[in-house]
Amino acid sequence: MTLAQDFPTHFCDFTAAQLVAVGTRIGEVLKGLPPQDLFHRQLASDLIEEIGILSRILSARQNGKLESTKDGLDAERMQLYSGLAQIIRAGCRHPFAAKAEASLRLCQTLERHGLATQPTGPEDRTAELDLFFAGFDHAPFQLDLTALDLLSWYQKLKTVHAQYLESAKEELSAAGKTESLAPPVQEVGHRLAALLSLICQGIRHQSRKARAPYDRLTTRLEEALNATRTGNPRHSRHSVSGKSTPPAQAALNG
């Protein structure tokens, strides 16, 4: 059975990601429309717009992943700081005088630039770590860290702190994008599904009338749809309690 003979595709049963995928493929097919077909060319323009909106919404959903990454970096930087501070304080009892003196100087700097002993939030910890680095980045204290073999540890802490700041910046940017995307994904998905259905029905109609180049476009539409179907779209919702929905109603749902 060819695409032109088949019932309209149930685009409402596709996931949001599959709608973007099939919409992109169909958009490529529509580039072969004849110049005089202004109706389908306008639909093709609308298709590009809706795909862009849905793609940005799906991309913004990665915010959760960014937040998870940021939380992990926050925990890592605090673990590094705590271990570093403990070793510095313990070094004050070092048996070698030069190392004990280096630890004592670093301990005094910790009193002025170290993190608060009471639990604080990530933003407070960020400000405190910035103050900590401002104190310890001075040359004398870098030499003291080197004397205690702690310089690489300190540099690792700075690296993770910088990664945390970058992750927080990305999360804030993603949150701003999410706020600017007012339509929920379901609403945009329904619009895109209806638009794809309209496009396919129009191309099918022209193909039934044996109007060139719609027979060729129909074949390419079939290829685009089959390529997306292999992604296992959601199970059809048109079968309930063992009763199948009549084709006419299914066409309305498509």
Side-chain angles (χ1 to χ4, degrees), residues 110-178:
L110 268 180
E111 294 299 320
R112 297 190 299 272
H113 299 278
L115 273 64
T117 56
Q118 296 297 324
T120 58
E123 293 183 0
D124 293 331
R125 287 195 289 272
T126 295
E128 291 174 348
L129 279 171
D130 287 339
L131 181 63
F132 170 76
F133 293 130
F136 275 70
D137 276 346
H138 292 293
F141 304 119
Q142 294 289 292
L143 293 175
D144 288 336
L145 287 169
T146 301
L148 295 170
D149 296 322
L150 294 177
L151 186 60
S152 60
W153 190 323
Y154 176 80
Q155 291 172 340
K156 173 65 174 178
L157 173 57
K158 291 192 70 173
T159 298
V160 174
H161 179 66
Q163 291 172 344
Y164 172 87
L165 294 178
E166 183 62 27
S167 180
K169 181 180 178 181
E170 291 177 5
E171 179 186 319
L172 184 61
S173 175
K177 292 178 182 178
T178 301

Side-chain angles (χ1 to χ4, degrees), residues 22-88:
V22 72
T24 301
R25 292 187 179 108
I26 290 177
E28 289 297 314
V29 173
L30 296 181
K31 291 180 180 180
L33 286 167
Q36 66 271 22
D37 190 348
L38 300 180
F39 175 69
H40 282 102
R41 284 186 171 275
Q42 181 59 60
L43 292 182
S45 177
D46 294 341
L47 178 65
I48 293 174
E49 180 181 357
E50 295 295 344
I51 289 173
I53 294 173
L54 188 55
S55 296
R56 289 194 296 271
I57 293 175
L58 294 178
S59 178
R61 282 185 165 185
Q62 294 298 314
N63 184 34
K65 180 179 178 181
L66 290 171
E67 184 175 357
S68 176
T69 301
K70 188 187 75 169
D71 290 344
L73 290 169
D74 182 42
E76 184 179 0
R77 66 178 180 168
M78 289 312 301
Q79 185 176 16
L80 286 168
Y81 171 82
S82 297
L84 182 63
Q86 289 175 12
I87 293 179
I88 288 174

Side-chain angles (χ1 to χ4, degrees), residues 95-108:
F96 294 104
K99 292 183 180 292
E101 291 172 0
S103 292
L104 181 60
R105 286 190 293 268
L106 292 176
C107 280
Q108 292 171 343

